[in-house]
């Protein structure tokens, strides 16, 4: 059975999924990080 989606579409789909998971993790784990790392978490979440 042939897929109706190209490899590029599938790759972009999973890339977006991973970026959303990364943003969610940055938002949730920000409180556990030392204060010096918080700007990195904020930048990741906002991006």
């Amino acid at each position: 059975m042939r897929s109706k989606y190209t490899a590029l579409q599938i790759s972009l789909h999973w890339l977006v999924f991973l970026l959303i998971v990364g943003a969610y993790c940055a938002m949730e784990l920000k409180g556990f990080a030392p204060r010096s790392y918080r700007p990195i978490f904020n930048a990741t979440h906002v991006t």
Side-chain angles (χ1 to χ4, degrees):
M1 182 171 150
R2 257 183 112 201
S3 175
K4 58 184 174 179
Y5 300 106
T6 65
L8 178 61
Q9 289 172 316
I10 294 169
S11 298
L12 287 175
H13 169 80
W14 287 109
L15 175 63
V16 169
F17 172 76
L18 292 174
L19 289 173
I20 290 171
V21 169
Y24 180 78
C25 289
M27 178 180 67
E28 291 295 321
L29 298 175
K30 179 174 74 170
F32 296 109
R35 280 192 136 352
S36 61
Y37 291 132
R38 288 195 182 166
I40 296 169
F41 282 95
N42 286 338
T44 302
H45 173 69
V46 171
T47 301

